Amino acid sequence: MILLEVTRGRSAGTRHESSAGVVRVGRAEDNDLILPDEGVSGEHARIVAGDECYVLRDLRSTNGTVVVRGDTRIVLDDGNGREVVLASNDVVELGAGADVVLLAVTVQGEVRPEDATRVLATRPIDDLGHAESTVEGDASRLRALYDVQKHIGAADGLHDVLTAICSGAFALVPGATHVTVVLREDDDGGRGTPSYVPIVTRVRGQTGPAAAPIPVTRSVFRKVVLERTAVLAADAPAEVGRSESMMGAQIRSVLGVPLWKGDEILGVLQMDNRESTGVFTSADLDVCAVLAHNASLAVANSRLLQRLRAAEERMAKENAFLKTREESRRVGKGEQEIVGSSSAMRALFAQLAKVVDTRVTVLIEGETGVGKELIAAAVHYRSRRRTQLFVTQNCAAMPENLLESELFGHRKGSFTGAHEDKKGLFEIADGGTLFLDECTEMPPALQSKLLRALQEGEIRPVGATQEKRVNVRIVAATNRSLAKEVSAGRFREDLYYRLNVFPIRVPSLRERREDIPALAEHFLKRFAAELGKPTSGFTQQAMELLQAYDWPGNVRELQNEVQRLVIQVDAGSFVTPELLSPHIRRVEGLLDRVRPTKGSLKETMDQVERWLLVESLNEHDNNKTAAAKALGITREGLHKKLRSFGL
């Protein structure tokens, strides 16, 4: 028995005395000891009756739990497993600061070794299966046992199973007046002091649960759990030592049978006879031993089914969330988001239309920031696979060992830290599309596994012995020349041909300067809406500067520049040249720096062009390839212009 007295808090003066296996403490209304204080969590703590002690557990409360023992303060944290054994005169602090609640603890009737349980008969778990032979001679009980097992087997859900077990116990044991099922909590977590909670109690002749909680016979319960045996205590007040819980309930006879699965005790089925006439017999123990076989299996299966249903419901919610996110992503990354009407982009759209509804692998090439993932998303969302997942992975973002596990999954124990099975992205994307960005960063060993997945349509998780078939479309992307990587020996040639079935090159922004106004306006509207700052648009001078800049970071750089401009510009104002970044404004005043002589338009333009050629060569130490790239022309085009100017 444990006594808890609230000495500080809104419920000060409240006393809670209990002999139950578990006492729940918290603010929620379903707790045994309800504390309405704001510093107390809804499910703050739990007091669990162990073999010879009471254990206080903190349920990861918001404001914590402390036990004060004399001059010592014991903080329940991860260092002590958030639990401590309680003793009389302990003070429990729930919460902190001004809202702290204090509980005075008194432990009554601690169990001493000399109070050993004295019983009439026992049946170890290993012998329970042999008890069936003693029932076979009793035709009525044998028939009743058959009917009970049939009803338990037909029950659906844990509640129905437990109800069928209680009804069956009454049918098989005529002397039983009360039946209680105590189960080990699923979230026990393997602690040294498991939690056993009375789940259901039935009284003979009454429909539904008992009107008041029926205390579990602690002395018998401990023997059942610790010694893994069925226990019969006849004339309990005399035979079991007149323990307080038995005397308080006026129990004359007790029968406790374990429910088990392998080496694990799932719970205890307890039957009480609270009438002065009639006690349980060894035959009652034997028939309950047979009942326990089927009951244990039914409880284990119903709990497993309960966990599976919860997992299925959780997966359904996760799947719904992913599909909702993917749907919003589809809207955001579909055709509406690909801004551009230049000839280069029209050619790109024509290529997409030809390949989206095929199964071939697509290789997307282009400089950093041109929007390769956007094109990959368009390949997926414009295809018949649009209802399945579009999964992305940057191959440069993970080390080799983690990338293999991320792509192909792993089995529990296959390497240090593999505490459970994990699905890889290939398996997650089954039926959909897997986008491998920066595929040239994939290590050689992993390239061979990817090649097999492409050739055979099979993957093997790390640590597994069997392959799994998957139906995944691969879209790869790189900002390097994959052919040059193959020539340099950094990329497998056979994998190159597997990936390069349908190459798509995304043009750089300087190759489609006519799209810059539309892109800039698109980003301006988006960020103005996100930041809640309406703008009037770009001035003509600002837009001309944006179009004149080379954008080495391509669309991503333009997007970041516009976002910065929206932050800087005053609400309702135009974006003016002085707000642009200095490196974009450097072409401003170009004619002043060139200072061309007066003449015709062609003569002036030739002087400006000659100056730009010379400046570019000087900036790149006369490296014509680099200068041509900076100018946005080919090396041959640069040579032609230099010859025309006599340079």
Side-chain angles (χ1 to χ4, degrees):
M1 186 76 67
I2 188 168
L3 173 63
L4 304 172
E5 183 176 359
V6 184
T7 60
R8 177 178 174 179
R10 294 184 182 179
S11 303
T14 301
R15 293 165 59 90
H16 181 83
E17 189 173 12
S18 176
S19 61
V22 175
V23 178
R24 296 177 175 84
V25 180
R27 197 173 65 246
E29 294 183 357
D30 57 349
N31 287 289
D32 301 302
L33 176 56
I34 301 173
L35 302 172
D37 305 76
E38 293 182 359
V40 178
S41 299
E43 296 180 359
H44 195 106
R46 184 179 297 169
I47 299 173
V48 182
D51 178 27
E52 298 180 359
C53 61
Y54 283 94
V55 177
L56 172 66
R57 290 181 185 160
D58 177 79
L59 302 179
R60 297 195 173 276
S61 59
T62 302
N63 296 313
T65 304
V66 177
V67 174
V68 180
R69 184 171 295 160
D71 297 330
T72 304
R73 291 176 59 83
I74 305 171
V75 180
L76 275 61
D77 54 22
D78 292 335
N80 51 31
R82 295 186 176 272
E83 64 180 36
V84 66
V85 177
L86 290 176
S88 292
N89 301 319
D90 283 349
V91 176
V92 179
E93 296 182 0
L94 305 175
D99 294 329
V100 68
V101 176
L102 302 182
L103 302 180
V105 178
T106 303
V107 180
Q108 303 171 340
E110 290 94 341
V111 180
R112 298 182 296 275
E114 58 267 23
D115 291 333
T117 302
R118 298 191 299 272
V119 297
L120 181 63
T122 62
R123 296 283 190 275
I125 283 181
D126 294 338
D127 296 337
L128 292 185
H130 304 299
E132 189 171 355
S133 59
T134 62
V135 184
E136 292 178 353
D138 190 335
S140 60
R141 267 194 169 173
L142 192 61
R143 177 64 187 179
L145 183 62
Y146 171 76
D147 291 337
V148 166
Q149 291 182 338
K150 184 171 67 173
H151 288 135
I152 293 175
D156 181 25
L158 182 61
H159 179 269
D160 292 344
V161 166
L162 297 180
T163 301
I165 291 173
C166 292
S167 299
F170 285 132
L172 295 173
V173 183
T177 59
H178 298 72
V179 176
T180 301
V181 180
V182 181
L183 294 182
R184 179 171 180 161
E185 289 196 314
D186 267 349
D187 62 351
D188 174 73
R191 298 184 177 93
T193 310
S195 301
Y196 288 92
V197 181
I199 302 297
V200 61
T201 297
R202 292 290 186 269
V203 179
R204 185 182 290 276
Q206 294 183 9
T207 58
I214 305 299
V216 178
T217 309
R218 294 279 306 283
S219 52
V220 173
F221 175 81
R222 282 195 301 270
K223 189 172 184 67
V224 172
V225 172
L226 295 178
E227 299 183 16
R228 299 168 53 81
T229 183
V231 176
L232 168 61
D235 193 15
E239 294 298 327
V240 189
R242 306 178 71 83
S243 68
E244 288 189 26
S245 61
M246 301 184 85
M247 289 301 295
Q250 297 182 340
I251 299 173
R252 305 297 300 175
S253 183
V254 178
L255 201 159
V257 183
L259 304 174
W260 75 98
K261 179 184 178 183
D263 294 332
E264 179 186 5
I265 298 295
L266 301 177
V268 174
L269 172 63
Q270 176 178 299
M271 279 157 277
D272 305 331
N273 177 4
R274 304 187 182 199
E275 303 294 335
S276 58
T277 58
V279 294
F280 296 137
T281 65
S282 294
D284 294 327
L285 181 61
D286 290 337
V287 74
C288 287
V290 179
L291 171 65
H293 265 292
N294 198 40
S296 299
L297 180 62
V299 168
N301 288 344
S302 61
R303 280 198 147 179
L304 176 60
L305 183 60
Q306 196 174 48
R307 289 194 293 269
L308 289 175
R309 284 175 175 169
E312 186 179 36
E313 183 179 352
R314 186 168 60 253
M315 289 179 65
K317 290 180 180 178
E318 291 175 358
N319 191 39
F321 166 75
L322 287 173
K323 285 195 172 183
T324 302
R325 188 184 68 177
E326 290 302 308
E327 179 64 21
S328 63
R329 188 173 183 177
R330 182 187 70 79
V331 173
K333 292 198 172 182
E335 186 173 1
Q336 296 178 0
E337 277 282 337
I338 304 179
V339 178
S341 58
S342 61
S343 58
M345 292 304 294
R346 289 198 301 271
L348 177 60
F349 295 149
Q351 282 187 295
L352 283 177
K354 294 175 182 178
V355 77
V356 289
D357 276 329
T358 67
R359 296 187 59 184
V360 300
T361 302
V362 176
L363 176 64
I364 303 174
E365 295 180 306
E367 297 178 8
T368 299
V370 293
K372 295 186 290 294
E373 184 174 350
L374 194 68
I375 302 302
V379 172
H380 174 76
Y381 290 116
R382 297 184 188 184
S383 72
R384 287 187 289 265
R385 294 173 179 257
R386 66 177 65 90
T387 57
Q388 303 301 318
L389 289 180
F390 174 66
V391 182
T392 67
Q393 175 60 48
N394 189 321
C395 298
M398 284 190 173
E400 177 180 353
N401 56 337
L402 293 181
L403 182 59
E404 181 179 3
S405 170
E406 190 71 14
L407 291 177
F408 301 104
H410 64 248
R411 290 289 173 265
K412 180 180 179 181
S414 56
F415 55 85
T416 303
H419 300 301
E420 58 185 11
D421 290 351
K422 176 186 176 181
K423 287 186 177 182
L425 296 183
F426 267 91
E427 198 171 348
I428 292 173
D430 193 13
T433 303
L434 176 59
F435 174 53
L436 299 177
D437 199 7
E438 306 297 347
C439 63
T440 52
E441 302 299 325
M442 189 177 296
L446 201 53
Q447 291 178 25
S448 61
K449 291 198 73 172
L450 176 60
L451 178 64
R452 176 173 177 79
L454 291 174
Q455 288 177 334
E456 308 296 336
E458 295 180 342
I459 60 167
R460 179 183 292 183
V462 179
T465 57
Q466 293 182 337
E467 286 80 12
K468 286 186 174 182
R469 292 203 63 83
V470 291
N471 174 20
V472 178
R473 183 181 195 173
I474 298 296
V475 178
T478 177
N479 59 2
R480 302 181 187 177
S481 170
L482 208 54
K484 290 181 179 179
E485 294 295 306
V486 171
S487 300
R490 292 187 292 267
F491 201 83
R492 292 179 62 109
E493 186 175 5
D494 47 2
L495 179 58
Y496 166 69
Y497 290 119
R498 279 285 175 181
L499 293 177
N500 198 37
V501 178
F502 193 93
I504 294 179
R505 181 181 174 275
V506 184
S508 62
L509 191 53
R510 62 182 172 275
E511 296 176 69
R512 53 183 187 113
R513 293 180 186 272
E514 58 266 44
D515 289 332
I516 290 177
L519 284 165
E521 292 289 350
H522 171 78
F523 292 135
L524 187 71
K525 290 179 181 178
R526 181 206 292 181
F527 294 124
E530 288 182 6
L531 299 176
K533 183 189 285 188
T535 58
S536 299
F538 296 91
T539 64
Q540 181 179 346
Q541 296 88 342
M543 185 59 71
E544 288 175 353
L545 289 173
L546 292 177
Q547 285 187 277
Y549 181 59
D550 278 341
W551 299 106
N554 292 292
V555 179
R556 185 183 296 125
E557 185 183 2
L558 175 61
Q559 176 180 321
N560 294 339
E561 176 69 16
V562 175
Q563 185 177 28
R564 190 187 64 80
L565 290 172
V566 174
I567 294 172
Q568 284 190 304
V569 71
D570 293 331
S573 300
F574 283 92
V575 175
T576 54
E578 60 270 16
L579 296 177
L580 299 176
S581 298
H583 59 278
I584 297 176
R585 294 201 317 266
R586 68 181 179 180
V587 296
E588 190 177 15
L590 177 61
L591 292 179
D592 291 335
R593 295 201 301 274
V594 177
R595 290 190 180 89
T597 59
K598 291 184 179 181
S600 66
L601 178 60
K602 183 180 184 309
E603 290 171 344
T604 303
M605 294 304 299
D606 285 344
Q607 292 179 59
V608 173
E609 187 174 4
R610 188 179 191 280
W611 182 85
L612 287 172
L613 293 173
V614 173
E615 283 293 306
S616 182
L617 288 170
N618 290 336
E619 285 181 8
H620 296 90
D621 297 324
N622 215 35
N623 185 321
K624 294 179 182 179
T625 301
K629 185 176 181 180
L631 291 168
I633 59 177
T634 64
R635 196 173 188 276
E636 291 73 15
L638 176 62
H639 275 292
K640 184 177 179 180
K641 288 182 179 295
L642 292 175
R643 285 194 299 269
S644 67
F645 289 116
L647 297 175

